[in-house]
Amino acid sequence: DFDVTSAIKPGRNVIAVHVLGGIGHHSKDEVKGVAVTVEVTSSMLNSLPHGMFQDDTSGIWQPVKLTATAPVLVNDCFIEPSLHGAMIDVNILNTKPESTPLAIRYAIISAQDGTLLYSNQVSTQFIAAAQNTNHITLTTPYLNPRLWSPQEPNLYYLKIWLADGDQILDAYKTRFGFRTFAVDGSRFLL
């Protein structure tokens, strides 16, 4: 992420991006590591698609988007689903010079048919510290969702709204499934 607020002016803008970086200056036969007893050379690593090895990437190789945001927004969200609910870790960015009182509402809605699985009836009150990324954990009550599996990939949308009084400051939406996984010896259980 890169904040371009100070560079944007009212009206039409042109944004030019210049990328500095390089593939690196390694000998093609320099051993970079060992993977399952096979020596891995620089030329092998450089033949991988970009994004496979972070130290040797340069340029813009994935989609780029410009997003206009409010000064207070949901910056990131991590959902830890279980079979009967979820813990939702939310990062709220407040770029304002003063703390901001927030009312946080959220809902979990079926991606297949739009039915409401859960909505907090009373907003969670939160004060977002000024010029800071704030963290809050939301926990659902006991739920009875349709579980995700490879055979039945039931998905849900989590929608989060941040409000200051009656004014919605930000709306955030992400898709997820209720499932668990575990490791049992050498087996990965889904």
Side-chain angles (χ1 to χ4, degrees):
D1 291 354
F2 186 77
D3 187 352
V4 296
T5 302
S6 62
I8 303 297
K9 305 295 180 225
R12 188 178 173 123
N13 291 267
V14 174
I15 299 173
V17 178
H18 179 80
V19 178
L20 299 174
I23 297 299
H25 306 289
H26 304 289
S27 164
K28 287 187 181 246
D29 295 322
E30 177 186 350
V31 175
K32 301 298 287 184
V34 177
V36 193
T37 69
V38 175
E39 292 183 345
V40 178
T41 66
S42 294
S43 60
M44 293 165 87
L45 290 173
N46 288 334
S47 71
L48 295 172
H50 285 317
M52 298 290 291
F53 191 68
Q54 291 184 351
D55 292 341
D56 281 349
T57 58
S58 63
I60 298 173
W61 49 272
Q62 291 205 354
V64 175
K65 64 181 177 179
L66 180 63
T67 305
T69 64
V72 179
L73 66 137
V74 174
N75 192 37
D76 195 15
C77 178
F78 178 78
I79 305 164
E80 185 177 340
S82 68
L83 299 181
H84 297 290
M87 288 184 52
I88 305 161
D89 291 323
V90 183
N91 287 338
I92 299 170
L93 176 62
N94 182 3
T95 63
K96 295 166 78 173
E98 66 275 346
S99 294
T100 303
L102 298 172
I104 303 172
R105 295 289 314 257
Y106 70 100
I108 299 172
I109 301 159
S110 169
Q112 282 83 357
D113 60 19
T115 58
L116 178 67
L117 177 66
Y118 177 75
S119 177
N120 62 335
Q121 298 300 314
V122 178
S123 296
T124 302
Q125 302 303 307
F126 184 75
I127 297 179
Q131 298 179 333
N132 203 347
T133 297
N134 302 264
H135 179 78
I136 185 171
T137 299
L138 306 169
T139 305
T140 67
Y142 184 90
L143 301 174
N144 193 22
R146 291 180 297 198
L147 302 179
W148 182 95
S149 72
Q151 295 78 25
E152 294 184 44
N154 296 303
L155 294 173
Y156 289 86
Y157 287 112
L158 168 67
K159 295 183 179 182
I160 302 173
W161 297 272
L162 304 180
D164 184 1
D166 291 335
Q167 180 185 8
I168 300 291
L169 302 178
D170 190 40
Y172 179 89
K173 178 180 171 183
T174 190
R175 192 173 62 167
F176 73 103
F178 284 93
R179 65 9 177 190
T180 61
F181 58 87
V183 175
D184 182 17
S186 63
R187 297 183 333 155
F188 181 78
L189 306 173
L190 182 59

